[in-house]
Amino acid sequence: LRVADLFVIAPTALPAALTQRIRKLHGVVADESLDAARLQVNGKYADVLGVDPSTFRGYAAKATAASDKLWQRVAAGDMVVSYTMGQLDKLPLGGHVNVSGVKPEKLMVGGFATVGITGTDAVVSQSVARSLGFPSGNAIVVSAPHATISKLASQIKRLLPKGAVVQPLVSQVNVSGTSGSAGVARI
């Protein structure tokens, strides 16, 4: 399992070499390219990630990451939605949702899960994301459990093309009462 510390997103595909450049920064232990888009699911806007289920699951919450069945459903073409989205929109497990991509598609709700990326409403496979018209590789999740998040975010920002942003997914507080990175706790 990896902590998802930072999320990079752009309106269009990010340069292919960017993940390699990020991976070389001090404190980064892993990063992964994703597809991301905001689209309508049953008429309501949702933030959806297109992922490789076999590798992205390591960034999910522990119980979600451990569920082989859930990730098999994503790989099979289903949409996995957050518990919140499932409850608010009254989505039935095994039911279908209408998704408005470049062409409308009906996807099965394959599960409810805590994804682990703040603000993510649902996850689909990258092949489903591409069929819906998501930009290919326009997002990156970064795990850097021993880095100072604000410093790393600044370093990544300097590598990004115009229009791309980096967002912290965790907050750090100094539990020792002094400045610096000693005694950093993740909350």
Side-chain angles (χ1 to χ4, degrees), residues 137-160:
N138 68 321
I140 301 170
V141 62
V142 179
S143 180
H146 305 294
T148 302
I149 297 303
S150 59
K151 181 178 176 182
L152 181 59
S154 293
Q155 291 172 329
I156 292 173
K157 188 173 182 168
R158 287 191 287 273
L159 301 175
L160 299 179

Side-chain angles (χ1 to χ4, degrees), residues 41 48 63-64 67-87 89-97 107-115 120-125:
V41 177
V48 183
T64 302
S67 176
D68 289 336
K69 186 176 180 180
L70 182 92
W71 296 104
Q72 288 167 354
R73 298 304 330 147
V74 173
D78 292 355
M79 177 179 274
V80 169
V81 300
S82 69
Y83 290 110
T84 303
M85 182 178 171
Q87 282 187 325
D89 296 344
K90 297 177 176 70
L91 302 177
L93 181 62
H96 288 84
V97 291
L107 298 178
M108 183 186 292
V109 177
F112 302 108
T114 301
V115 176
T120 301
D121 298 310
V123 174
V124 297
S125 69

Side-chain angles (χ1 to χ4, degrees), residues 125-186:
S125 69
Q126 285 179 320
S127 61
V128 169
R130 304 237 167 97
S131 74
L132 289 166
F134 285 32
S136 178
N138 68 321
I140 301 170
V141 62
V142 179
S143 180
H146 305 294
T148 302
I149 297 303
S150 59
K151 181 178 176 182
L152 181 59
S154 293
Q155 291 172 329
I156 292 173
K157 188 173 182 168
R158 287 191 287 273
L159 301 175
L160 299 179
K162 186 176 180 175
V165 297
V166 59
Q167 302 169 338
L169 298 172
V170 297
S171 297
Q172 288 182 323
V173 294
N174 187 323
V175 295
S176 69
T178 61
S179 62
S181 60
V184 171
R186 296 188 179 273

